[in-house]
Amino acid sequence: MANLKLEPGRTGTTHVHFLCQRCNLPLKIDSSFSDMSRDLYKELTEPLVLSSDMEESIQIIRPEHDLAYEENDDYIRAYVPRGGFEESNDFTLVGNLGPGSMDTLSIRARVTGHLFDLMSGASEIDHPLCEECTDHLLDSLDHQLKLVEDESKEYREFLEKLGETEDEYNDTELDDELRQLLDEERQLMQELELAERERKKIAEAMAIEKQKAKKLDEDEEIYWQEYNDQCRIASELEDEQRSVDNQLKYAQAQLDRLKKTNVFNATFHIWHDGEFGTINDFRLGRLPGIAVEWIEINTAWGQVVLLLVSLANKIGLKFKKYRPVPYGNHSYIEVLDEKKELPLYGSGGIRFLWDTKFDSAMVAFLECLQQFRDEVEKEDSSFNLPYKMSKGKIYEGEKNQYSIKMQFNSEEQWTKALKYMLTNLKWALAWLSARKSLGD
């Protein structure tokens, strides 16, 4: 069915356009359709009519009954039905279509649409078509025609060859060939049975091998699991071994550092704080302007006694007459012959100042330090203390001497005597640290 597009013009006329049945684009109808005569129309329609039953007569189309159209805001689409003309050898166009928007519809346009419908009904192709779609359709038909021609040619060649083959062979030769083919078939069937038996044997062998392969896969999986477990254990052991090696290296480094470390220097630090001599930051002595607590002085004396005893034990010295006993801030000097103790600690007060036991203990300690000096000089003649000591006094040079007693002595001189005593102890400690046998 041909599609018409009706567009109202500015002068009250209606323009008719045909649309392509394939791409729906507007078509420009050749001018020859406008001047189509009755003889031309008859000539165009006669080949399309296959029988009297299929002939379509040309009738006058009444727009109010025979035209189907759709109105839109921009255009009117009208469909020209087939069989709308009266049956006759020629046709008549009637121009009176009635009032309204369809009065200006051209009868020739409807005849043209009827012609396109006749052409569409006579084939599988819907008309009208634009030039591009027609070219595409012709190319497709040419391709199909070529395929059909090639197929027809092959059929003809096959028929000719078949006719020649029938002439070449007779019945006897065909029977002999048939018997040979039957014998060959029997032989092939026997070979096929043999091959089938071999196939069954191979299939059974393959089934057995598959079972073996399955068992090997299971064994392989178990092996890899055990292998992974062993690798994990080996990795853990390697980590543990590295940890032990690191600990051993650290312990060895610590041991080497401790071997190089002087235990006495680390344990007993002798220094000075202004006019005071100190041991492990405990001051030893008193000054008028600086009242050091007696608990600090007693603790310092305890450290001094412990140092002297440690030095004596290191060189194997056994004291005579007096034996220092370290006892913290209550250390004392034991008089061996008299079996009595001389305290190296005080508490202050008037009564303490007139007590001679503390002074006797300090003098006895100084004598024990002299015994250590004499023992070291026997082993090393080059050993010498910076300050000489004799009968409870310490000498600074040849003229200055300081008593280690508190009675009848000033606090400044007593503090200086204690400082020089600590200096002698520091020299003794340095000599012992320099001995090669210190680490023994």
Side-chain angles (χ1 to χ4, degrees):
M1 182 179 293
N3 291 335
L4 298 177
K5 183 179 180 183
L6 308 179
E7 296 180 353
R10 297 181 180 177
T11 60
T13 61
T14 302
H15 301 284
V16 180
H17 297 287
F18 285 90
L19 302 179
C20 178
Q21 292 289 84
R22 186 170 181 272
C23 61
N24 289 330
L25 294 176
L27 298 177
K28 183 177 181 182
I29 304 300
D30 192 82
S31 60
S32 61
F33 282 93
S34 302
D35 299 334
M36 186 174 55
S37 62
R38 289 178 296 175
D39 295 335
L40 180 59
Y41 180 80
K42 188 175 182 179
E43 182 182 351
L44 290 174
T45 57
E46 279 181 355
L48 299 176
V49 178
L50 301 178
S51 64
S52 59
D53 296 335
M54 298 178 61
E55 291 182 354
E56 294 179 311
S57 59
I58 303 176
Q59 298 177 355
I60 298 176
I61 301 174
R62 298 184 182 276
E64 61 271 25
H65 299 291
D66 300 326
L67 275 177
Y69 62 92
E70 297 177 359
E71 293 188 6
N72 199 331
D73 295 338
D74 298 329
Y75 59 87
I76 300 173
R77 177 176 296 171
Y79 300 95
V80 180
R82 296 174 183 176
F85 297 93
E86 295 178 356
E87 185 176 357
S88 176
N89 291 331
D90 45 19
F91 61 91
T92 302
L93 299 178
V94 180
N96 186 11
L97 299 177
S101 62
M102 301 301 294
D103 290 345
T104 59
L105 177 62
S106 174
I107 297 300
R108 290 186 180 277
R110 282 179 283 164
V111 172
T112 304
H114 182 66
L115 178 60
F116 286 145
D117 291 338
L118 288 176
M119 295 171 63
S120 299
S123 66
E124 296 179 356
I125 303 170
D126 290 336
H127 293 276
L129 294 175
C130 64
E131 184 178 356
E132 184 178 353
C133 293
T134 303
D135 293 338
H136 180 74
L137 177 62
L138 290 176
D139 293 339
S140 178
L141 292 176
D142 290 340
H143 180 68
Q144 293 180 9
L145 178 61
K146 186 177 182 304
L147 293 177
V148 172
E149 288 176 351
D150 294 340
E151 187 176 357
S152 176
K153 183 180 178 181
E154 291 178 0
Y155 283 147
R156 283 195 301 270
E157 292 176 355
F158 180 75
L159 288 175
E160 293 174 358
K161 184 178 180 181
L162 182 61
E164 294 175 358
T165 305
E166 290 178 354
D167 296 337
E168 292 177 0
Y169 297 97
N170 53 29
D171 295 340
T172 305
E173 292 177 354
L174 292 175
D175 291 339
D176 293 339
E177 185 178 356
L178 179 59
R179 282 193 296 272
Q180 291 177 1
L181 291 175
L182 291 175
D183 294 338
E184 186 178 355
E185 182 184 7
R186 282 192 297 270
Q187 183 180 359
L188 292 175
M189 289 298 294
Q190 292 176 0
E191 293 178 359
L192 179 61
E193 291 177 359
L194 181 61
E196 186 65 23
R197 288 194 295 269
E198 292 294 332
R199 187 192 65 80
K200 290 182 180 179
K201 291 181 181 179
I202 293 174
E204 293 175 357
M206 285 182 63
I208 296 173
E209 294 300 326
K210 286 183 179 179
Q211 292 294 331
K212 292 181 180 179
K214 183 178 179 181
K215 183 66 169 59
L216 289 176
D217 291 339
E218 294 176 355
D219 294 341
E220 183 181 7
E221 184 177 358
I222 294 174
Y223 165 76
W224 283 114
Q225 290 179 355
E226 294 178 353
Y227 174 78
N228 292 333
D229 293 338
Q230 294 300 323
C231 289
R232 178 181 54 80
I233 294 173
S235 178
E236 293 176 355
L237 291 176
E238 288 177 359
D239 293 340
E240 185 176 355
Q241 180 66 33
R242 284 193 292 268
S243 177
V244 171
D245 292 341
N246 292 332
Q247 293 178 5
L248 182 61
K249 290 179 181 179
Y250 177 76
Q252 186 65 39
Q254 291 291 101
L255 179 60
D256 294 340
R257 186 179 63 84
L258 291 175
K259 285 182 178 180
K260 296 177 181 179
T261 301
N262 191 325
V263 179
F264 290 98
N265 286 335
T267 306
F268 303 100
H269 178 64
I270 298 176
W271 199 240
H272 61 85
D273 182 9
E275 297 296 328
F276 295 97
T278 61
I279 180 170
N280 294 338
D281 295 332
F282 293 109
R283 292 173 293 182
L284 196 60
R286 291 172 69 92
L287 293 176
I290 303 175
V292 180
E293 298 293 334
W294 276 103
I295 187 171
E296 182 178 354
I297 297 173
N298 297 337
T299 304
W301 270 114
Q303 295 292 313
V304 169
V305 173
L306 180 61
L307 173 58
L308 181 59
V309 172
S310 300
L311 294 175
N313 292 335
K314 193 63 181 176
I315 63 174
L317 171 64
K318 292 184 178 181
F319 293 102
K320 300 176 181 178
K321 189 177 179 181
Y322 301 107
R323 186 173 68 88
V325 179
Y327 201 66
N329 58 358
H330 283 74
S331 300
Y332 57 90
I333 301 294
E334 181 181 0
V335 182
L336 297 178
D337 296 338
E338 300 179 6
K339 303 293 182 180
K340 67 177 182 179
E341 299 176 359
L342 300 176
L344 272 175
Y345 55 88
S347 58
I350 300 298
R351 183 177 178 181
F352 170 76
L353 292 176
W354 292 101
D355 190 359
T356 59
K357 290 183 178 181
F358 183 62
D359 289 341
S360 300
M362 290 187 287
V363 172
F365 178 83
L366 202 62
E367 186 174 343
C368 293
L369 182 57
Q370 288 175 315
Q371 293 181 24
F372 175 81
R373 181 201 60 188
D374 296 339
E375 187 69 21
V376 171
E377 287 179 351
K378 293 178 182 179
E379 181 179 347
D380 184 6
S381 58
S382 63
F383 176 76
N384 190 19
L385 295 178
Y387 301 101
K388 294 181 178 180
M389 300 172 293
S390 176
K391 297 180 180 180
K393 293 181 181 181
I394 297 178
Y395 297 88
E396 182 185 11
E398 296 294 335
K399 297 181 179 180
N400 298 329
Q401 59 181 6
Y402 302 96
S403 174
I404 201 170
K405 296 181 180 180
M406 287 191 68
Q407 287 185 352
F408 310 108
N409 196 6
S410 65
E411 291 182 341
E412 292 85 351
Q413 291 190 358
W414 179 59
T415 300
K416 185 168 290 189
L418 295 175
K419 184 178 180 181
Y420 292 160
M421 179 196 67
L422 286 175
T423 303
N424 285 342
L425 279 174
K426 186 175 181 64
W427 277 63
L429 182 60
W431 173 85
L432 189 62
S433 299
R435 291 181 58 184
K436 295 182 180 181
S437 60
L438 183 61
D440 297 341

